[in-house]
Amino acid sequence: MIASPSDVPEARDAVKKAIHGWNNANAQTKGVILQPWRWETSAVPLLGAHPQKLINAQGVDDSDIVFALFGGRLGSPTPDAVSGTAEEIDRALAMGKPVHLYFSTAPLPHDIDTAQLEALRAFKNEVQNRGLLGEFSNTDQLNHEVWKAIEHDIATLFPEGSTPSRKEPTGVEFVVQPQQEREVSGFNSKGKPRYRTRRWLEVTNIGSRDAEDVTFESVNDGDLILTDPSAPTIIHRGQTRRVHVIRTSSTGDPVVRIHWTEDGKQKMRDFHVG
């Protein structure tokens, strides 16, 4: 689970990117795949309880690892805690889950909410007596910190020799990982940067055979648009192909369908890429 107030979107993206990068490098050999959970894209809309309780039940309770991030805000209070993120941290710790807590050391904006900043400093002073805290000054450093934490947790969750065994794949087998990168697209009249997010899918053939006549399509075009040409291609075994996409909704469950030919037979498989 990736937990944070709303003022660190780039850091949240960086954690998700680091998780997908770890999967690409380790999932096949270690037999473990990590799935990032973010409330804004993963939570199921539901009535019947306070929103924070629903996030706790769907996110914290079902997670194995929690990454918590703070910039210059503590966040909005809940009925049971000083902020939603603080409540998620407390709940995860009470359940015995590993929690990795990082504070940004990057320069703060000039219009920072001073009340929020003071509340965050008080929270940091309180929580630093409960363990080791991490820091990051940029997303590259955070990426390194996340990888380090994942390696520690995997070694703890799966002691040497206990990771799930995995048969070597035969034929064509695809792994599809969504990736994204935030970049400056311009500046407004006050000189503040505008941002846009580039998104793509990394499609890797981890099987033992080449995939021929490969094409991609979006199953639900309302959530995902493929921007690359649809001409058939070949993805050789061990090869990764990048497919650029546009997300038109942040709440849907986009699915990409891959068609290919294997041993003269047409095959197809759907991948959820939310």
Side-chain angles (χ1 to χ4, degrees):
M1 179 178 183
I2 305 171
S4 78
S6 60
D7 64 325
V8 286
E10 290 184 352
R12 293 173 65 81
D13 291 344
V15 175
K16 182 178 180 180
K17 182 178 180 180
I19 292 171
H20 287 313
W22 188 92
N23 284 338
N24 289 338
N26 296 280
Q28 182 178 358
T29 57
K30 296 189 176 181
V32 176
I33 294 179
L34 306 176
Q35 295 179 303
W37 196 96
R38 301 168 58 164
W39 75 266
E40 67 268 36
T41 56
S42 304
V44 177
L46 190 66
L47 298 179
H50 188 277
Q52 186 60 54
K53 291 188 179 298
L54 297 176
I55 290 175
N56 291 345
Q58 295 182 28
V60 179
D61 295 3
D62 282 346
S63 295
D64 298 296
I65 303 168
V66 174
F67 287 96
L69 315 165
F70 287 99
R73 292 177 51 84
L74 179 60
S76 302
T78 71
D80 299 315
V82 293
S83 78
T85 305
E87 182 171 333
E88 291 156 11
I89 292 170
D90 289 340
R91 187 178 183 90
L93 289 173
M95 299 178 72
K97 301 176 186 290
V99 177
H100 305 289
L101 177 54
Y102 302 93
F103 291 85
S104 172
T105 60
L108 295 171
H110 69 276
D111 58 348
I112 186 72
D113 185 327
T114 55
Q116 277 285 320
L117 184 59
E118 287 302 316
L120 177 60
R121 288 172 175 169
F123 172 77
K124 184 177 181 180
N125 288 335
E126 183 271 329
V127 79
Q128 65 185 1
N129 296 320
R130 301 165 64 185
L132 296 175
L133 308 182
E135 295 182 340
F136 65 96
S137 59
N138 54 60
T139 55
D140 287 339
Q141 183 183 3
L142 182 58
N143 180 85
H144 172 75
E145 292 294 326
V146 171
W147 271 63
K148 185 169 64 175
I150 290 173
E151 290 291 340
H152 173 274
D153 292 339
I154 293 299
T156 302
L157 293 169
F158 302 102
E160 188 174 356
S162 69
T163 52
S165 59
R166 186 181 191 279
K167 296 180 179 179
E168 287 299 317
T170 58
V172 173
E173 184 172 340
F174 290 114
V175 172
V176 180
Q177 295 286 350
Q179 304 283 3
Q180 65 181 32
E181 184 176 63
R182 200 162 180 241
E183 60 184 12
V184 177
S185 62
F187 297 88
N188 63 18
S189 58
K190 296 182 179 180
K192 292 185 177 181
R194 295 191 182 98
Y195 295 94
R196 64 184 176 192
T197 301
R198 294 193 306 111
R199 292 183 169 87
W200 67 92
L201 307 176
E202 290 187 350
V203 181
T204 304
N205 178 8
I206 66 171
S208 60
R209 303 286 298 275
D210 296 342
E212 300 180 347
D213 302 320
V214 182
T215 59
F216 309 91
E217 67 169 316
S218 175
V219 175
N220 40 2
D221 289 333
D223 295 327
L224 189 75
I225 298 175
L226 307 182
T227 60
D228 291 333
S230 58
T233 186
I234 297 176
I235 302 182
H236 299 283
R237 57 180 180 175
Q239 184 180 35
T240 297
R241 183 62 54 86
R242 179 175 289 194
V243 180
H244 292 91
V245 299
I246 296 174
R247 284 291 302 272
T248 58
S249 170
S250 61
T251 58
D253 183 21
V255 176
V256 63
R257 178 171 295 163
I258 302 180
H259 301 263
W260 75 95
T261 301
E262 183 178 349
D263 294 330
K265 297 181 180 179
Q266 294 289 326
K267 296 194 174 185
M268 177 190 74
R269 183 180 171 188
D270 290 347
F271 295 85
H272 291 262
V273 293

PDB file of all heavy atoms in Angstrom, residues 29 49 51 57 62 74 91 101-102 138 154 171 185 188 206 232 241 249 251:
ATOM      1  N   THR A  29      12.503 -14.772 -11.322  1.00  0.00           N
ATOM      2  CA  THR A  29      13.473 -15.602 -10.602  1.00  0.00           C
ATOM      3  C   THR A  29      13.047 -15.877  -9.160  1.00  0.00           C
ATOM      4  O   THR A  29      13.342 -16.947  -8.618  1.00  0.00           O
ATOM      5  CB  THR A  29      14.853 -14.929 -10.594  1.00  0.00           C
ATOM      6  OG1 THR A  29      14.741 -13.627 -10.008  1.00  0.00           O
ATOM      7  CG2 THR A  29      15.398 -14.811 -12.006  1.00  0.00           C
ATOM      8  N   ALA A  49     -19.913   3.315   5.501  1.00  0.00           N
ATOM      9  CA  ALA A  49     -18.957   3.590   6.570  1.00  0.00           C
ATOM     10  C   ALA A  49     -18.163   4.837   6.207  1.00  0.00           C
ATOM     11  O   ALA A  49     -18.208   5.309   5.070  1.00  0.00           O
ATOM     12  CB  ALA A  49     -18.027   2.400   6.795  1.00  0.00           C
ATOM     13  N   PRO A  51     -15.217   7.025   4.901  1.00  0.00           N
ATOM     14  CA  PRO A  51     -14.276   6.675   3.824  1.00  0.00           C
ATOM     15  C   PRO A  51     -12.964   6.092   4.326  1.00  0.00           C
ATOM     16  O   PRO A  51     -12.420   5.165   3.721  1.00  0.00           O
ATOM     17  CB  PRO A  51     -14.065   8.019   3.111  1.00  0.00           C
ATOM     18  CG  PRO A  51     -15.340   8.767   3.342  1.00  0.00           C
ATOM     19  CD  PRO A  51     -15.791   8.373   4.715  1.00  0.00           C
ATOM     20  N   ALA A  57      -9.977  -1.038   5.326  1.00  0.00           N
ATOM     21  CA  ALA A  57     -10.388  -2.419   5.081  1.00  0.00           C
ATOM     22  C   ALA A  57      -9.885  -2.929   3.738  1.00  0.00           C
ATOM     23  O   ALA A  57      -9.432  -4.075   3.620  1.00  0.00           O
ATOM     24  CB  ALA A  57     -11.910  -2.526   5.154  1.00  0.00           C
ATOM     25  N   ASP A  62      -5.457  -5.650   3.554  1.00  0.00           N
ATOM     26  CA  ASP A  62      -5.089  -6.633   2.533  1.00  0.00           C
ATOM     27  C   ASP A  62      -3.647  -6.492   2.062  1.00  0.00           C
ATOM     28  O   ASP A  62      -3.202  -7.254   1.214  1.00  0.00           O
ATOM     29  CB  ASP A  62      -6.022  -6.512   1.320  1.00  0.00           C
ATOM     30  CG  ASP A  62      -7.375  -7.166   1.564  1.00  0.00           C
ATOM     31  OD1 ASP A  62      -7.477  -7.929   2.559  1.00  0.00           O
ATOM     32  OD2 ASP A  62      -8.313  -6.917   0.801  1.00  0.00           O
ATOM     33  N   LEU A  74       0.398  17.118   6.848  1.00  0.00           N
ATOM     34  CA  LEU A  74       0.063  15.922   7.607  1.00  0.00           C
ATOM     35  C   LEU A  74      -1.190  15.269   7.048  1.00  0.00           C
ATOM     36  O   LEU A  74      -1.329  14.050   7.086  1.00  0.00           O
ATOM     37  CB  LEU A  74      -0.151  16.269   9.083  1.00  0.00           C
ATOM     38  CG  LEU A  74      -0.540  15.114  10.013  1.00  0.00           C
ATOM     39  CD1 LEU A  74       0.551  14.034  10.002  1.00  0.00           C
ATOM     40  CD2 LEU A  74      -0.782  15.613  11.425  1.00  0.00           C
ATOM     41  N   ARG A  91      -2.677   1.539  12.010  1.00  0.00           N
ATOM     42  CA  ARG A  91      -3.401   0.279  11.797  1.00  0.00           C
ATOM     43  C   ARG A  91      -2.460  -0.802  11.276  1.00  0.00           C
ATOM     44  O   ARG A  91      -2.504  -1.952  11.717  1.00  0.00           O
ATOM     45  CB  ARG A  91      -4.553   0.496  10.819  1.00  0.00           C
ATOM     46  CG  ARG A  91      -5.480  -0.721  10.666  1.00  0.00           C
ATOM     47  CD  ARG A  91      -6.625  -0.408   9.722  1.00  0.00           C
ATOM     48  NE  ARG A  91      -7.554  -1.506   9.606  1.00  0.00           N
ATOM     49  CZ  ARG A  91      -8.630  -1.686  10.372  1.00  0.00           C
ATOM     50  NH1 ARG A  91      -8.891  -0.821  11.344  1.00  0.00           N
ATOM     51  NH2 ARG A  91      -9.442  -2.719  10.180  1.00  0.00           N
ATOM     52  N   LEU A 101       8.468   4.542   6.446  1.00  0.00           N
ATOM     53  CA  LEU A 101       8.000   5.924   6.521  1.00  0.00           C
ATOM     54  C   LEU A 101       9.103   6.872   6.063  1.00  0.00           C
ATOM     55  O   LEU A 101      10.216   6.851   6.595  1.00  0.00           O
ATOM     56  CB  LEU A 101       7.585   6.231   7.965  1.00  0.00           C
ATOM     57  CG  LEU A 101       7.125   7.648   8.297  1.00  0.00           C
ATOM     58  CD1 LEU A 101       5.999   8.086   7.387  1.00  0.00           C
ATOM     59  CD2 LEU A 101       6.687   7.699   9.767  1.00  0.00           C
ATOM     60  N   TYR A 102       8.776   7.712   5.067  1.00  0.00           N
ATOM     61  CA  TYR A 102       9.762   8.617   4.476  1.00  0.00           C
ATOM     62  C   TYR A 102       9.237  10.052   4.496  1.00  0.00           C
ATOM     63  O   TYR A 102       8.066  10.307   4.201  1.00  0.00           O
ATOM     64  CB  TYR A 102      10.055   8.213   3.026  1.00  0.00           C
ATOM     65  CG  TYR A 102      10.567   6.805   2.889  1.00  0.00           C
ATOM     66  CD1 TYR A 102       9.685   5.756   2.637  1.00  0.00           C
ATOM     67  CD2 TYR A 102      11.916   6.504   3.008  1.00  0.00           C
ATOM     68  CE1 TYR A 102      10.136   4.455   2.507  1.00  0.00           C
ATOM     69  CE2 TYR A 102      12.385   5.203   2.885  1.00  0.00           C
ATOM     70  CZ  TYR A 102      11.481   4.175   2.635  1.00  0.00           C
ATOM     71  OH  TYR A 102      11.931   2.888   2.526  1.00  0.00           O
ATOM     72  N   ASN A 138      14.619  13.588  -3.728  1.00  0.00           N
ATOM     73  CA  ASN A 138      14.115  13.532  -5.104  1.00  0.00           C
ATOM     74  C   ASN A 138      13.601  12.119  -5.374  1.00  0.00           C
ATOM     75  O   ASN A 138      13.793  11.198  -4.573  1.00  0.00           O
ATOM     76  CB  ASN A 138      15.205  13.925  -6.115  1.00  0.00           C
ATOM     77  CG  ASN A 138      16.469  13.104  -5.947  1.00  0.00           C
ATOM     78  OD1 ASN A 138      16.460  11.878  -6.068  1.00  0.00           O
ATOM     79  ND2 ASN A 138      17.583  13.772  -5.648  1.00  0.00           N
ATOM     80  N   ILE A 154      11.185  -8.848   1.462  1.00  0.00           N
ATOM     81  CA  ILE A 154      11.080 -10.156   0.797  1.00  0.00           C
ATOM     82  C   ILE A 154      11.937 -11.179   1.534  1.00  0.00           C
ATOM     83  O   ILE A 154      11.536 -12.337   1.733  1.00  0.00           O
ATOM     84  CB  ILE A 154      11.495 -10.055  -0.678  1.00  0.00           C
ATOM     85  CG1 ILE A 154      10.488  -9.188  -1.453  1.00  0.00           C
ATOM     86  CG2 ILE A 154      11.597 -11.433  -1.311  1.00  0.00           C
ATOM     87  CD1 ILE A 154       9.076  -9.717  -1.452  1.00  0.00           C
ATOM     88  N   GLY A 171       6.472 -22.154 -24.254  1.00  0.00           N
ATOM     89  CA  GLY A 171       5.670 -21.381 -25.179  1.00  0.00           C
ATOM     90  C   GLY A 171       5.795 -19.900 -24.911  1.00  0.00           C
ATOM     91  O   GLY A 171       6.749 -19.428 -24.293  1.00  0.00           O
ATOM     92  N   SER A 185       5.130  20.251 -18.930  1.00  0.00           N
ATOM     93  CA  SER A 185       4.592  20.508 -20.269  1.00  0.00           C
ATOM     94  C   SER A 185       4.527  21.986 -20.609  1.00  0.00           C
ATOM     95  O   SER A 185       4.186  22.361 -21.728  1.00  0.00           O
ATOM     96  CB  SER A 185       3.181  19.910 -20.376  1.00  0.00           C
ATOM     97  OG  SER A 185       2.301  20.518 -19.443  1.00  0.00           O
ATOM     98  N   ASN A 188       2.398  28.303 -16.415  1.00  0.00           N
ATOM     99  CA  ASN A 188       1.248  29.194 -16.443  1.00  0.00           C
ATOM    100  C   ASN A 188       1.696  30.646 -16.364  1.00  0.00           C
ATOM    101  O   ASN A 188       2.905  30.938 -16.369  1.00  0.00           O
ATOM    102  CB  ASN A 188       0.277  28.850 -15.305  1.00  0.00           C
ATOM    103  CG  ASN A 188       0.892  29.043 -13.927  1.00  0.00           C
ATOM    104  OD1 ASN A 188       1.897  29.728 -13.767  1.00  0.00           O
ATOM    105  ND2 ASN A 188       0.273  28.432 -12.920  1.00  0.00           N
ATOM    106  N   ILE A 206       8.352 -13.559 -21.497  1.00  0.00           N
ATOM    107  CA  ILE A 206       9.263 -14.328 -20.647  1.00  0.00           C
ATOM    108  C   ILE A 206       9.223 -15.822 -20.978  1.00  0.00           C
ATOM    109  O   ILE A 206       9.819 -16.633 -20.266  1.00  0.00           O
ATOM    110  CB  ILE A 206       8.936 -14.118 -19.153  1.00  0.00           C
ATOM    111  CG1 ILE A 206       7.567 -14.699 -18.815  1.00  0.00           C
ATOM    112  CG2 ILE A 206       9.020 -12.647 -18.783  1.00  0.00           C
ATOM    113  CD1 ILE A 206       7.262 -14.725 -17.333  1.00  0.00           C
ATOM    114  N   PRO A 232       0.775  -5.747 -36.948  1.00  0.00           N
ATOM    115  CA  PRO A 232       1.330  -6.919 -36.246  1.00  0.00           C
ATOM    116  C   PRO A 232       2.846  -6.839 -36.136  1.00  0.00           C
ATOM    117  O   PRO A 232       3.534  -6.334 -37.032  1.00  0.00           O
ATOM    118  CB  PRO A 232       0.892  -8.089 -37.141  1.00  0.00           C
ATOM    119  CG  PRO A 232      -0.305  -7.584 -37.879  1.00  0.00           C
ATOM    120  CD  PRO A 232      -0.037  -6.124 -38.115  1.00  0.00           C
ATOM    121  N   ARG A 241       8.604  -4.986 -25.285  1.00  0.00           N
ATOM    122  CA  ARG A 241       8.072  -4.002 -26.229  1.00  0.00           C
ATOM    123  C   ARG A 241       7.285  -2.957 -25.453  1.00  0.00           C
ATOM    124  O   ARG A 241       6.517  -3.289 -24.550  1.00  0.00           O
ATOM    125  CB  ARG A 241       7.163  -4.704 -27.247  1.00  0.00           C
ATOM    126  CG  ARG A 241       6.589  -3.791 -28.335  1.00  0.00           C
ATOM    127  CD  ARG A 241       7.686  -3.187 -29.187  1.00  0.00           C
ATOM    128  NE  ARG A 241       8.558  -4.204 -29.747  1.00  0.00           N
ATOM    129  CZ  ARG A 241       8.334  -4.855 -30.879  1.00  0.00           C
ATOM    130  NH1 ARG A 241       7.231  -4.612 -31.564  1.00  0.00           N
ATOM    131  NH2 ARG A 241       9.198  -5.746 -31.328  1.00  0.00           N
ATOM    132  N   SER A 249      -9.523   7.803 -17.679  1.00  0.00           N
ATOM    133  CA  SER A 249     -10.240   7.744 -16.413  1.00  0.00           C
ATOM    134  C   SER A 249      -9.297   7.227 -15.338  1.00  0.00           C
ATOM    135  O   SER A 249      -8.507   6.317 -15.589  1.00  0.00           O
ATOM    136  CB  SER A 249     -11.464   6.813 -16.516  1.00  0.00           C
ATOM    137  OG  SER A 249     -12.036   6.577 -15.248  1.00  0.00           O
ATOM    138  N   THR A 251     -10.460   6.057 -12.419  1.00  0.00           N
ATOM    139  CA  THR A 251     -11.205   5.165 -11.532  1.00  0.00           C
ATOM    140  C   THR A 251     -11.581   3.845 -12.186  1.00  0.00           C
ATOM    141  O   THR A 251     -12.067   2.946 -11.516  1.00  0.00           O
ATOM    142  CB  THR A 251     -12.495   5.850 -11.052  1.00  0.00           C
ATOM    143  OG1 THR A 251     -13.292   6.219 -12.186  1.00  0.00           O
ATOM    144  CG2 THR A 251     -12.161   7.100 -10.239  1.00  0.00           C
TER     145      THR A 251
END
